[in-house]
Amino acid sequence: MDQDTLVVDSSFIQPIQHRPKLYPFQPATDQVPTIDLSISPSRTTQHLVSEIASACQNWGFFQVINHGVSLETLARFEKAAKLFFDQTMEEKRKVKRDAGNAVGFYDGENTKNVRDWKEVFDFLVKDGTFFPASHDPNDTKLKVLFNHWPEYPPGFREMCEEYARELELLAHKLLRLILLSLGLSGADGLKGYFNDEQMSLMRLNRYPPCPSPDLVLGVGRHKDSGALTILAQDAVGGLQVRRKSDGQWIPVKPIPNAYIVNIGDVVQVWSNDKYESVEHRVVVNSEKERYSFPFFFFPAHHMMVKPLEEVVDEQNPPKYREYNFGKFIASRSHGNENQEVENIQIHHFRARLHQ
């Protein structure tokens, strides 16, 4: 992409009904709840769990402070990411992802068949991750994805791996609290979902300045397919959440050193729709570049996802059929790459009673 070009390529232009409304100007809001993860005599785990339950049920999004991630580690990671993206396109494309190994640098990401105004660098939390060889449900073959690391900046791989380890710890902490908020005793029964074969992914996003921010999006509207997403964003902002109460797009106000957390499709299914994976998008800026760093907490490829036994009964029967997580992700990727294919969603797995 060339942010200096006055005419935006048609592949970036959103359908009219999905273009951002920049006027009248809507300031960022703090309506998305902010939750302090610290525990004290006056702030018990029960208080924390209650706040998380309310945020998950009413928003599907919340921000967390006092989260335990080293701010020094975050700062070094942000610096390394900017050094990488500041290179020439020729240098960045030396670690470009391809059809056989979909990790590394990429500047042609699509969401719902419209190109996103961004560059990304992806790496797997577990290097050498098993992934379905195709989206065909009858194909049982697997492929192994390996991270594709650049030579510059020095120490980039080590910095990324150190940061990802901290985010993984935070993800486990948050998952435990979310399960407690659903009335479960904790995450012990779900440890197998996030073992050494987990498909968790870390993404570095750069959104360049855009000459037509009223026509394009940094990321189009979508829901996340994993269990949780944990996002660090810079002070520029741009993330918007579709508010459940009225369907309006609400900007998420950047809070220094906070993380934005949203539940994904897996938690929606586990909770049997008590919690909802909510649509969100990213608007772009005509003057400033923006950076964000999402951590996608994904189960292993072979795990089956269905409503948890503890949340269903005769009055609240399962609302979803069981599905394989790896095949679901493979189908989503195929749909984003092929404009003739519908992008699969969890509503395709709704039980017949609830269709």
Side-chain angles (χ1 to χ4, degrees):
M1 69 186 69
D2 184 355
Q3 60 263 37
D4 296 323
T5 302
L6 295 179
V7 178
V8 173
D9 187 281
S10 61
S11 63
F12 291 103
I13 296 178
Q14 292 284 327
I16 292 176
Q17 68 272 27
H18 297 304
R19 295 174 189 172
K21 296 179 181 179
L22 303 181
Y23 305 100
F25 176 71
Q26 185 179 21
T29 176
D30 58 1
Q31 285 183 284
V32 172
T34 300
I35 298 176
D36 185 342
L37 293 183
S38 63
I39 300 295
S40 67
S42 61
R43 182 173 174 75
T44 65
T45 299
Q46 186 175 356
H47 287 113
L48 180 54
V49 168
S50 177
E51 290 180 7
I52 285 179
S54 175
C56 288
Q57 202 155 11
N58 296 322
W59 281 90
F61 269 78
F62 53 94
Q63 300 203 58
V64 294
I65 59 175
N66 293 322
H67 40 68
V69 176
S70 165
L71 299 182
E72 292 77 14
T73 300
L74 173 59
R76 292 197 304 272
F77 175 74
E78 291 175 333
K79 181 179 179 180
K82 291 177 182 179
L83 287 172
F84 171 78
F85 283 118
D86 281 347
Q87 297 180 99
T88 64
M89 190 61 72
E90 180 183 5
E91 286 298 314
K92 287 181 283 193
R93 285 178 174 162
K94 288 180 179 179
V95 289
K96 185 176 181 179
R97 79 186 193 195
D98 54 45
N101 201 32
V103 289
F105 175 77
Y106 196 55
D107 61 348
E109 187 86 6
N110 287 347
T111 302
K112 297 188 184 298
N113 298 323
V114 181
R115 190 172 171 190
D116 297 330
W117 190 269
K118 66 176 181 179
E119 302 173 350
V120 307
F121 179 85
D122 293 337
F123 68 92
L124 298 156
V125 173
K126 304 294 183 182
D127 204 358
T129 293
F130 288 104
F131 195 89
S134 76
H135 65 282
D136 182 348
N138 297 314
D139 184 0
T140 60
K141 294 190 294 294
L142 298 173
K143 59 184 177 181
V144 185
L145 302 186
F146 293 97
N147 289 325
H148 200 184
W149 297 107
E151 294 181 3
Y152 181 86
F156 183 74
R157 173 179 180 170
E158 292 76 14
M159 186 67 261
C160 287
E161 290 176 340
E162 178 185 355
Y163 181 70
R165 285 192 293 270
E166 294 216 26
L167 267 291
E168 187 178 2
L169 291 174
L170 176 58
H172 280 285
K173 178 193 294 186
L174 290 166
L175 181 63
R176 175 179 173 273
L177 291 168
I178 289 171
L179 293 175
L180 286 172
S181 75
L182 288 170
L184 281 71
S185 59
D188 289 347
L190 299 176
K191 283 183 177 178
Y193 281 80
F194 304 98
N195 57 22
D196 287 342
E197 293 186 1
Q198 66 173 287
M199 299 168 64
S200 296
L201 180 78
M202 188 84 219
R203 169 164 289 179
L204 288 61
N205 287 317
R206 175 182 177 263
Y207 302 94
C210 177
S212 302
D214 56 330
L215 299 179
V216 309
L217 289 168
V219 183
R221 74 197 192 284
H222 67 285
K223 299 183 178 185
D224 290 349
S225 51
L228 300 174
T229 302
I230 304 173
L231 175 80
Q233 69 167 342
D234 65 16
V236 174
L239 176 66
Q240 295 184 338
V241 175
R242 189 186 287 278
R243 187 164 53 194
K244 291 177 64 176
S245 61
D246 58 9
Q248 294 297 307
W249 287 106
I250 304 299
V252 180
K253 180 180 179 180
I255 297 176
N257 303 322
Y259 283 99
I260 300 166
V261 181
N262 64 280
I263 61 172
D265 291 341
V266 169
V267 168
Q268 177 169 332
V269 173
W270 279 346
S271 73
N272 208 33
D273 278 355
K274 181 175 182 180
Y275 298 159
E276 181 184 350
S277 175
V278 172
E279 271 195 327
H280 49 289
R281 68 183 187 181
V282 174
V283 297
V284 290
N285 193 297
S286 61
E287 299 176 356
K288 299 177 181 179
E289 65 180 2
R290 174 182 181 259
Y291 291 90
S292 71
F293 311 108
F295 173 91
F296 300 104
F297 199 36
F298 284 175
H301 70 89
H302 56 81
M303 298 310 301
M304 304 300 293
V305 181
K306 64 179 181 178
L308 298 174
E309 293 180 3
E310 294 88 344
V311 303
V312 299
D313 54 33
E314 290 185 4
Q315 288 71 41
N316 186 30
K319 297 179 181 178
Y320 295 92
R321 295 178 284 111
E322 187 176 57
Y323 67 89
N324 175 266
F325 182 75
K327 287 296 184 183
F328 183 77
I329 291 294
S331 296
R332 291 268 293 211
S333 299
H334 180 66
N336 278 336
E337 295 165 0
N338 188 334
Q339 296 192 14
E340 303 301 319
V341 177
E342 182 182 10
N343 200 327
I344 194 168
Q345 306 289 337
I346 57 169
H347 68 72
H348 292 110
F349 296 92
R350 281 197 172 273
R352 186 176 302 275
L353 180 65
H354 300 276
Q355 289 179 336

